[in-house]
Amino acid sequence: MNKIKIIFYTGTGGSKIIAELIKNKLIDMNYDVFLEKISKNNLVSQKSCDLIILIFPLHGANAPEIVYKWIKNLPKGNKTKVAIISISAGGEVIFNRAGRLSSIKLFERQDYKVFYENSLIMPSNFLIPTPDYLSRALLNILPEKIDLIIDDLVNEKIRKINPPIIDKCISKVFEIEKIGVKILGKTIKANENCNGCGLCEKICSCGNISMNNKKPKFKFMCNFCTACLYYCPNKALQPSIFKMTILKNGYDINSFIKNNMKDENFSDEDIMELTESIYWSGLRDYLLYSNKKV
């Protein structure tokens, strides 16, 4: 296993951070590694490799639709090995445990061999913000979690999960999210703060935005990755419905890392207290009980 291809899809940057960390660590280990971002302009992968590492955020208990498109466009795999890493804000809880299953099945139909799956947690960009202390704890432990995954991969450890039937049912039902986010994305409007800079069009990975008379127009191809909403310099974009899903204080993971990360000891007691809510229970397991495994 010499040539490794890391494929990632990202909206607000979490997958990119993880992909680059994995890439740099593998390069330090003298592997031949190349990185590709899934987007409307990159839905066909031509480079051959010994291992594909696919990284994506979970959207509605599944991979985003654009990830499915990328897998379907792959050439026949001839049993090329694949590892899948999903990212969420909640961890391996009931809504997420089957989130990689559809992607695995698509790979197998293309004659690829998925031998490994795992998950990582990043601060939330949707509905409920992760408390700052927990966000710092998650980012602090991330290199350790990645080291464990890389150790598994280079040793070709088999790690496949058979989710409970309830998880599989939830994942299947939530495929309807693919239609829902298109509708939600279609409702995004620009307010009077829009200056027509066109940044939203440039960063949209799905080609859902086009500029018309210096105003963005939204089509019916949205993954609702929220990149346009959070990275608009004038905060001029807002969905017309379900506005509560967008964090009031915005989301910029790179700025958070730059301005908030420091040498810090994280108390088990504080983590236990902050994860008492069932909403953060997956973080408790991830931060406290999974230091030797992920």
Side-chain angles (χ1 to χ4, degrees):
M1 187 176 70
N2 295 313
K3 293 184 178 181
I4 300 175
K5 178 161 55 180
I6 301 174
I7 308 296
F8 70 96
Y9 172 72
T10 191
T12 52
S15 300
K16 182 180 180 182
I17 289 169
I18 289 168
E20 289 178 341
L21 284 171
I22 293 174
K23 175 191 172 185
N24 292 336
K25 287 178 180 289
L26 287 170
I27 288 175
D28 288 344
M29 298 168 71
N30 296 317
Y31 286 96
D32 183 6
V33 185
F34 44 98
L35 198 65
E36 290 184 12
K37 177 184 176 181
I38 297 175
S39 72
K40 66 181 185 299
N41 297 320
N42 184 25
L43 287 175
V44 180
S45 184
Q46 301 291 350
K47 295 180 180 179
S48 61
C49 62
D50 303 310
L51 170 65
I52 294 173
I53 302 174
L54 175 64
I55 305 168
F56 58 79
L58 292 177
H59 286 190
N62 289 288
E65 185 176 29
I66 194 170
V67 173
Y68 292 166
K69 290 180 180 178
W70 184 88
I71 298 172
K72 290 175 181 177
N73 283 334
L74 285 171
K76 288 298 180 182
N78 297 317
K79 304 303 179 185
T80 298
K81 291 184 176 180
V82 175
I84 298 178
I85 302 169
S86 62
I87 303 167
S88 70
E92 291 288 271
V93 292
I94 188 168
F95 283 94
N96 297 333
R97 287 182 299 217
R100 298 171 294 271
L101 196 55
S102 293
S103 300
I104 290 171
K105 290 180 178 179
L106 287 175
F107 270 117
E108 290 174 345
R109 288 175 196 161
Q110 297 286 83
D111 198 29
Y112 289 80
K113 183 180 180 181
V114 179
F115 75 101
Y116 187 87
E117 57 174 310
N118 216 322
S119 66
L120 293 167
I121 303 179
M122 292 291 277
S124 172
N125 66 358
F126 188 78
L127 192 60
I128 300 176
T130 308
D132 281 359
Y133 185 85
L134 291 179
S135 293
R136 296 197 305 273
L138 289 172
L139 293 166
N140 181 72
I141 204 173
L142 183 61
E144 178 184 339
K145 296 290 188 182
I146 286 175
D147 283 344
L148 292 169
I149 288 175
I150 289 175
D151 186 62
D152 286 347
L153 294 180
V154 299
N155 288 296
E156 300 187 45
K157 176 182 176 180
I158 296 174
R159 189 180 194 274
K160 296 289 291 294
I161 296 167
N162 184 21
I165 188 67
I166 183 65
D167 296 60
K168 294 178 182 178
C169 291
I170 289 172
S171 179
K172 201 68 176 175
V173 169
F174 269 58
E175 288 288 3
I176 198 171
E177 180 261 0
K178 303 289 187 290
I179 298 173
V181 294
K182 288 181 172 64
I183 296 171
L184 188 55
K186 185 69 175 172
T187 74
I188 297 174
K189 305 293 182 185
N191 62 28
E192 64 277 3
N193 294 327
C194 177
N195 64 4
C197 71
L199 178 63
C200 53
E201 180 184 29
K202 293 175 184 176
I203 65 175
C204 179
S205 61
C206 300
N208 190 56
I209 304 172
S210 60
M211 298 300 292
N212 186 355
N213 295 324
K214 293 191 174 182
K215 291 293 182 182
K217 300 296 181 183
F218 295 83
K219 306 170 190 175
F220 197 68
M221 299 184 292
C222 187
N223 275 330
F224 209 68
C225 73
T226 67
C228 63
L229 302 175
Y230 288 130
Y231 291 140
C232 174
N234 295 315
K235 308 302 178 190
L237 301 177
Q238 190 74 248
S240 301
I241 57 175
F242 297 112
K243 295 180 181 180
M244 72 287 190
T245 61
I246 305 304
L247 305 186
K248 290 182 179 179
N249 294 326
Y251 186 87
D252 187 336
I253 189 64
N254 292 300
S255 292
F256 183 88
I257 291 171
K258 180 180 179 181
N259 297 324
N260 293 278
M261 295 307 293
K262 56 188 177 183
D263 290 334
E264 187 173 4
N265 292 319
F266 294 92
S267 158
D268 288 359
E269 291 76 14
D270 287 343
I271 290 173
M272 286 290 291
E273 182 179 348
L274 287 168
T275 56
E276 284 181 347
S277 163
I278 191 171
Y279 192 85
W280 302 118
S281 61
L283 276 68
R284 183 191 315 126
D285 297 340
Y286 182 86
L287 291 170
L288 297 181
Y289 309 134
S290 303
N291 289 336
K292 301 302 179 185
K293 60 182 181 178
V294 286

